[in-house]
Amino acid sequence: MRTNLKLPEKKITQLLLDHGQFSKEEIDETFQLSAKETTEYSIEFLKQHPGVAQTETLKSKEFLEETEGEKEETVKEVKYIFPRYC
């Protein structure tokens, strides 16, 4: 399941459009090509998704035996790895 990150993406897109160097199509394409889904969660993501944080805590070694039979849908964070221009 992919979380919705459209609000930050819209803000960044608008800032880049205001700058005037890139077209909306170029920005959208860069976002699409740079998006990577991951279960290596950032602290910010875990703060916004306390249920995921709790689930990750239960996966620790101390609770591993209690959660072995449980399978839940994995929530994935979308991280953007943008190209760097020198």
Side-chain angles (χ1 to χ4, degrees), residues 18-70:
D18 291 346
H19 188 268
Q21 188 173 354
F22 304 102
S23 70
K24 176 143 177 42
E25 293 77 22
E26 289 174 308
I27 297 166
D28 289 344
E29 181 181 356
T30 301
F31 266 107
Q32 186 177 26
L33 293 174
S34 301
K36 306 293 181 229
E37 288 187 345
T38 181
T39 56
E40 296 176 16
Y41 304 113
S42 65
I43 298 298
E44 293 84 8
F45 183 84
L46 292 173
K47 285 180 181 177
Q48 293 173 357
H49 300 87
V52 175
Q54 183 178 16
T55 302
E56 288 300 304
T57 301
L58 291 175
K59 287 180 182 177
S60 71
K61 291 180 182 179
E62 294 176 22
F63 299 103
L64 191 57
E65 295 169 1
E66 297 175 21
T67 59
E68 279 184 5
E70 300 174 16

